[in-house]
Amino acid sequence: MAPTQQHPTEHTLALLKQLIAFNTVSRDSNLGLIEWARDYLQRLGCKVRLTYDPSGKKANLFATYGDAPGFGTVFSGHTDVVPVDGQTWSTDPFAATLQGDRIYGRGTCDMKGFIAVCLSRLARLSNANLQRPIHVALSYDEELGCLGVGGLLDDLKAHGIAPTACIVGEPTSMQPVMAHKGKRAYRCCVQGASAHSSSPLQGINAVDFAAELIAKLREMATRMRASSTWDTAFDVPYSTLATTLIKGGNAVNTVPEHCEFVFEHRFLPGDQPQSVIDELNTYVAHVLAPQMQAGNARGHVRFETLASYPGLAGTEQDEPVAMAIRILGAEGARKVGFGTEAGLFAAAGIPAVVCGPGDIAQAHKPDEFVTLDQLGRCEQFFDRYVAATTLEEEPCH
């Protein structure tokens, strides 16, 4: 028998409409959404903390609802979304559009649908019935490599705020996820020396040396794939390396003096990501640098870290994972290749599970959507989780 379709409340849909209307593409400010959410949560009686980026144009929000002693669960979501540039949409990406059982809009799936559910369900709770407080965390720049939430976690630590669990509501089709890969992203800048292309030995061809480094990365990636340290619970069961962007040179008849490329390392929990950059630096020092500097000391290679976050290495015995499995009636918890802020919460000593409405396959695409059923199931999950962990009542089944 097919499972009964769930439907979200009108309040959740109204909040999602409001959230989608905020254009919070990562390159822009998220303060409009954050300040609106702050005001909404303060009207509910929440204590709200904001932590800003160095420019003051972006902020994290951490809200606590309830005066009960101790610390409870954090329901966490990121407010930034990926750009729509170059994508062909059938609807306005910054207007939540209901068609059939789907709501279209940038961020409906990743991950404003989850945020809307949390804000909506929080309004239905009574402070007097809470045995533990409930927290809501909203971050910035997750899509740029989980850059913002670190400031929020530092602020919590500095003020002795120690939540006991975290639910990160990334789209998992409302299935619990206990582990995901970590990521490091780098920019490699190769500085050569320009010359007329008819006299190439008078210059240092930065594009050529960048190509050698990219070939080295491919060789390292092949070794990773052949490694015995696979984890077949992941859809891609080994760590990966990939070059994703490159630019260099300025004319067809000029030896290029500069080339840069971007690459990323997505690694299994337990792998040592530093080993990749260490091997590349050794290769540059012993192989490329002697060639680049033989006739011109200006040649060099520099690596810059653009983003870094740890993997999540939870187990089905971790309290939030076990609770999610039980409430959802799932056979177990999954492991996924995409990264989330859950790894950072876990590294800060806050056990985490990833579980949210929508399918990750819809994220970042034109005509991104979340279904009404997924939002309804998320509402049900929120209510049951709070009842089991905060109201100290057994969730309904």
Short mmCIF file of all heavy atoms in Angstrom, two decimals, residues 155-192:
data_model
loop_
_atom_site.label_atom_id
_atom_site.label_comp_id
_atom_site.label_asym_id
_atom_site.label_seq_id
_atom_site.Cartn_x
_atom_site.Cartn_y
_atom_site.Cartn_z
N ASP A 155 30.83 31.53 18.46
CA ASP A 155 30.07 32.36 19.39
C ASP A 155 29.40 31.50 20.46
O ASP A 155 29.38 31.87 21.64
CB ASP A 155 29.03 33.17 18.61
CG ASP A 155 28.22 34.09 19.51
OD1 ASP A 155 28.80 35.03 20.06
OD2 ASP A 155 27.00 33.83 19.68
N LEU A 156 28.85 30.37 20.05
CA LEU A 156 28.22 29.48 21.03
C LEU A 156 29.24 28.99 22.05
O LEU A 156 28.98 28.98 23.26
CB LEU A 156 27.57 28.28 20.33
CG LEU A 156 26.42 28.58 19.37
CD1 LEU A 156 25.81 27.27 18.88
CD2 LEU A 156 25.36 29.46 20.00
N LYS A 157 30.40 28.59 21.57
CA LYS A 157 31.44 28.10 22.47
C LYS A 157 31.88 29.20 23.44
O LYS A 157 32.05 28.96 24.64
CB LYS A 157 32.63 27.58 21.67
CG LYS A 157 33.75 27.03 22.53
CD LYS A 157 34.90 26.49 21.66
CE LYS A 157 36.03 25.94 22.53
NZ LYS A 157 37.15 25.42 21.69
N ALA A 158 32.06 30.42 22.92
CA ALA A 158 32.51 31.52 23.76
C ALA A 158 31.53 31.85 24.87
O ALA A 158 31.92 32.36 25.93
CB ALA A 158 32.77 32.75 22.90
N HIS A 159 30.25 31.57 24.64
CA HIS A 159 29.23 31.91 25.62
C HIS A 159 28.68 30.68 26.35
O HIS A 159 27.63 30.76 27.02
CB HIS A 159 28.09 32.68 24.95
CG HIS A 159 28.49 34.05 24.52
ND1 HIS A 159 29.11 34.31 23.30
CD2 HIS A 159 28.42 35.26 25.16
CE1 HIS A 159 29.37 35.60 23.20
NE2 HIS A 159 28.97 36.20 24.31
N GLY A 160 29.37 29.55 26.22
CA GLY A 160 28.99 28.37 26.98
C GLY A 160 27.66 27.76 26.58
O GLY A 160 27.00 27.11 27.39
N ILE A 161 27.26 27.95 25.34
CA ILE A 161 26.01 27.38 24.84
C ILE A 161 26.34 26.06 24.15
O ILE A 161 27.06 26.03 23.16
CB ILE A 161 25.31 28.33 23.86
CG1 ILE A 161 25.03 29.67 24.56
CG2 ILE A 161 24.03 27.72 23.31
CD1 ILE A 161 24.52 30.76 23.63
N ALA A 162 25.85 24.95 24.71
CA ALA A 162 26.25 23.63 24.23
C ALA A 162 25.03 22.78 23.90
O ALA A 162 24.59 21.95 24.72
CB ALA A 162 27.10 22.94 25.30
N PRO A 163 24.45 22.95 22.72
CA PRO A 163 23.31 22.11 22.33
C PRO A 163 23.68 20.62 22.36
O PRO A 163 24.84 20.25 22.14
CB PRO A 163 23.01 22.57 20.91
CG PRO A 163 23.53 23.98 20.85
CD PRO A 163 24.76 23.97 21.70
N THR A 164 22.69 19.80 22.62
CA THR A 164 22.94 18.37 22.76
C THR A 164 22.80 17.61 21.46
O THR A 164 23.24 16.45 21.37
CB THR A 164 21.97 17.77 23.79
OG1 THR A 164 20.62 18.08 23.39
CG2 THR A 164 22.21 18.36 25.17
N ALA A 165 22.21 18.21 20.44
CA ALA A 165 22.02 17.54 19.16
C ALA A 165 21.73 18.58 18.09
O ALA A 165 21.35 19.72 18.39
CB ALA A 165 20.88 16.52 19.23
N CYS A 166 21.89 18.17 16.83
CA CYS A 166 21.62 19.08 15.71
C CYS A 166 20.98 18.30 14.57
O CYS A 166 21.41 17.20 14.24
CB CYS A 166 22.92 19.73 15.23
SG CYS A 166 22.70 20.83 13.81
N ILE A 167 19.94 18.89 14.00
CA ILE A 167 19.33 18.36 12.78
C ILE A 167 19.57 19.38 11.68
O ILE A 167 19.10 20.51 11.75
CB ILE A 167 17.82 18.13 12.95
CG1 ILE A 167 17.57 17.09 14.05
CG2 ILE A 167 17.19 17.67 11.64
CD1 ILE A 167 16.12 16.93 14.42
N VAL A 168 20.34 19.00 10.67
CA VAL A 168 20.61 19.85 9.52
C VAL A 168 19.64 19.43 8.41
O VAL A 168 19.67 18.29 7.95
CB VAL A 168 22.07 19.71 9.05
CG1 VAL A 168 22.30 20.52 7.78
CG2 VAL A 168 23.02 20.17 10.15
N GLY A 169 18.80 20.35 8.00
CA GLY A 169 17.68 20.00 7.13
C GLY A 169 17.96 20.06 5.64
O GLY A 169 17.10 20.48 4.87
N GLU A 170 19.15 19.63 5.21
CA GLU A 170 19.42 19.53 3.78
C GLU A 170 18.48 18.51 3.15
O GLU A 170 17.98 17.59 3.83
CB GLU A 170 20.87 19.10 3.55
CG GLU A 170 21.91 20.14 3.93
CD GLU A 170 22.11 21.22 2.88
OE1 GLU A 170 21.36 21.23 1.88
OE2 GLU A 170 23.00 22.08 3.08
N PRO A 171 18.23 18.64 1.85
CA PRO A 171 17.25 17.73 1.22
C PRO A 171 17.74 16.28 1.16
O PRO A 171 18.70 15.97 0.47
CB PRO A 171 17.09 18.32 -0.19
CG PRO A 171 18.32 19.14 -0.43
CD PRO A 171 18.72 19.66 0.92
N THR A 172 17.08 15.42 1.90
CA THR A 172 17.41 13.99 1.92
C THR A 172 16.16 13.14 1.65
O THR A 172 16.15 11.94 1.97
CB THR A 172 17.99 13.58 3.28
OG1 THR A 172 16.98 13.71 4.29
CG2 THR A 172 19.21 14.41 3.65
N SER A 173 15.10 13.75 1.12
CA SER A 173 13.82 13.06 0.92
C SER A 173 13.28 12.51 2.24
O SER A 173 12.65 11.46 2.29
CB SER A 173 13.96 11.93 -0.12
OG SER A 173 14.35 12.46 -1.38
N MET A 174 13.56 13.25 3.31
CA MET A 174 13.12 12.90 4.66
C MET A 174 13.60 11.51 5.08
O MET A 174 12.88 10.76 5.75
CB MET A 174 11.61 13.03 4.80
CG MET A 174 11.10 14.46 4.76
SD MET A 174 11.98 15.59 5.90
CE MET A 174 11.69 14.82 7.49
N GLN A 175 14.84 11.20 4.71
CA GLN A 175 15.51 9.99 5.17
C GLN A 175 16.74 10.40 5.97
O GLN A 175 17.45 11.34 5.59
CB GLN A 175 15.92 9.11 3.99
CG GLN A 175 14.74 8.51 3.23
CD GLN A 175 13.88 7.63 4.12
OE1 GLN A 175 14.37 6.72 4.79
NE2 GLN A 175 12.57 7.91 4.14
N PRO A 176 17.01 9.73 7.10
CA PRO A 176 18.15 10.15 7.93
C PRO A 176 19.49 9.84 7.28
O PRO A 176 19.68 8.77 6.70
CB PRO A 176 17.96 9.32 9.21
CG PRO A 176 17.13 8.15 8.80
CD PRO A 176 16.25 8.61 7.68
N VAL A 177 20.41 10.79 7.37
CA VAL A 177 21.77 10.65 6.86
C VAL A 177 22.72 10.80 8.03
O VAL A 177 22.68 11.80 8.75
CB VAL A 177 22.07 11.70 5.78
CG1 VAL A 177 23.57 11.78 5.48
CG2 VAL A 177 21.30 11.38 4.50
N MET A 178 23.59 9.80 8.21
CA MET A 178 24.51 9.82 9.36
C MET A 178 25.93 10.18 8.99
O MET A 178 26.76 10.44 9.87
CB MET A 178 24.51 8.45 10.04
CG MET A 178 25.05 7.32 9.17
SD MET A 178 24.99 5.74 10.05
CE MET A 178 25.54 4.62 8.75
N ALA A 179 26.25 10.20 7.68
CA ALA A 179 27.64 10.47 7.28
C ALA A 179 27.66 11.11 5.90
O ALA A 179 26.81 10.83 5.05
CB ALA A 179 28.46 9.18 7.27
N HIS A 180 28.64 11.98 5.70
CA HIS A 180 28.87 12.55 4.38
C HIS A 180 30.36 12.85 4.21
O HIS A 180 31.12 12.86 5.18
CB HIS A 180 28.03 13.79 4.13
CG HIS A 180 28.33 14.97 5.02
ND1 HIS A 180 29.52 15.67 4.97
CD2 HIS A 180 27.57 15.60 5.96
CE1 HIS A 180 29.48 16.66 5.84
NE2 HIS A 180 28.33 16.64 6.47
N LYS A 181 30.76 13.07 2.98
CA LYS A 181 32.15 13.36 2.69
C LYS A 181 32.52 14.78 3.14
O LYS A 181 31.65 15.66 3.27
CB LYS A 181 32.44 13.22 1.20
CG LYS A 181 32.39 11.78 0.70
CD LYS A 181 32.74 11.69 -0.78
CE LYS A 181 32.77 10.25 -1.25
NZ LYS A 181 33.09 10.14 -2.68
N GLY A 182 33.81 14.99 3.36
CA GLY A 182 34.33 16.32 3.59
C GLY A 182 34.83 16.91 2.28
O GLY A 182 34.88 16.24 1.25
N LYS A 183 35.22 18.17 2.32
CA LYS A 183 35.67 18.83 1.09
C LYS A 183 36.74 19.87 1.39
O LYS A 183 36.67 20.57 2.40
CB LYS A 183 34.49 19.52 0.39
CG LYS A 183 34.87 20.36 -0.82
CD LYS A 183 33.66 21.04 -1.42
CE LYS A 183 34.03 22.07 -2.46
NZ LYS A 183 32.86 22.71 -3.08
N ARG A 184 37.72 19.92 0.52
CA ARG A 184 38.63 21.06 0.44
C ARG A 184 38.68 21.52 -1.01
O ARG A 184 38.79 20.70 -1.91
CB ARG A 184 40.02 20.70 0.93
CG ARG A 184 40.13 20.56 2.44
CD ARG A 184 41.57 20.48 2.90
NE ARG A 184 41.66 20.30 4.34
CZ ARG A 184 42.81 20.25 5.00
NH1 ARG A 184 43.96 20.36 4.34
NH2 ARG A 184 42.82 20.08 6.31
N ALA A 185 38.58 22.82 -1.20
CA ALA A 185 38.69 23.41 -2.53
C ALA A 185 39.88 24.36 -2.55
O ALA A 185 40.11 25.10 -1.58
CB ALA A 185 37.41 24.16 -2.90
N TYR A 186 40.64 24.31 -3.64
CA TYR A 186 41.87 25.09 -3.74
C TYR A 186 41.92 25.87 -5.06
O TYR A 186 41.37 25.43 -6.08
CB TYR A 186 43.09 24.17 -3.71
CG TYR A 186 43.24 23.31 -2.49
CD1 TYR A 186 42.72 22.02 -2.47
CD2 TYR A 186 43.92 23.76 -1.36
CE1 TYR A 186 42.86 21.21 -1.35
CE2 TYR A 186 44.07 22.96 -0.25
CZ TYR A 186 43.54 21.68 -0.25
OH TYR A 186 43.69 20.87 0.85
N ARG A 187 42.62 26.99 -5.02
CA ARG A 187 43.04 27.68 -6.24
C ARG A 187 44.54 27.52 -6.38
O ARG A 187 45.29 27.76 -5.41
CB ARG A 187 42.68 29.16 -6.20
CG ARG A 187 43.18 29.93 -7.44
CD ARG A 187 42.89 31.42 -7.36
NE ARG A 187 41.46 31.69 -7.45
CZ ARG A 187 40.72 32.21 -6.48
NH1 ARG A 187 41.29 32.50 -5.31
NH2 ARG A 187 39.43 32.41 -6.65
N CYS A 188 44.99 27.12 -7.54
CA CYS A 188 46.42 27.03 -7.84
C CYS A 188 46.79 28.14 -8.80
O CYS A 188 46.21 28.25 -9.89
CB CYS A 188 46.76 25.67 -8.45
SG CYS A 188 48.49 25.52 -8.94
N CYS A 189 47.72 28.99 -8.40
CA CYS A 189 48.19 30.10 -9.24
C CYS A 189 49.61 29.78 -9.72
O CYS A 189 50.52 29.61 -8.89
CB CYS A 189 48.19 31.41 -8.46
SG CYS A 189 46.54 31.91 -7.89
N VAL A 190 49.78 29.70 -11.01
CA VAL A 190 51.09 29.43 -11.61
C VAL A 190 51.60 30.73 -12.24
O VAL A 190 50.96 31.26 -13.15
CB VAL A 190 51.00 28.32 -12.67
CG1 VAL A 190 52.38 28.04 -13.27
CG2 VAL A 190 50.41 27.05 -12.08
N GLN A 191 52.71 31.22 -11.73
CA GLN A 191 53.32 32.45 -12.24
C GLN A 191 54.51 32.11 -13.11
O GLN A 191 55.47 31.50 -12.64
CB GLN A 191 53.77 33.36 -11.09
CG GLN A 191 54.37 34.69 -11.54
CD GLN A 191 53.35 35.53 -12.29
OE1 GLN A 191 52.25 35.76 -11.80
NE2 GLN A 191 53.71 35.97 -13.49
N GLY A 192 54.43 32.46 -14.37
CA GLY A 192 55.53 32.24 -15.31
C GLY A 192 56.16 33.55 -15.72
O GLY A 192 56.21 34.51 -14.94
#
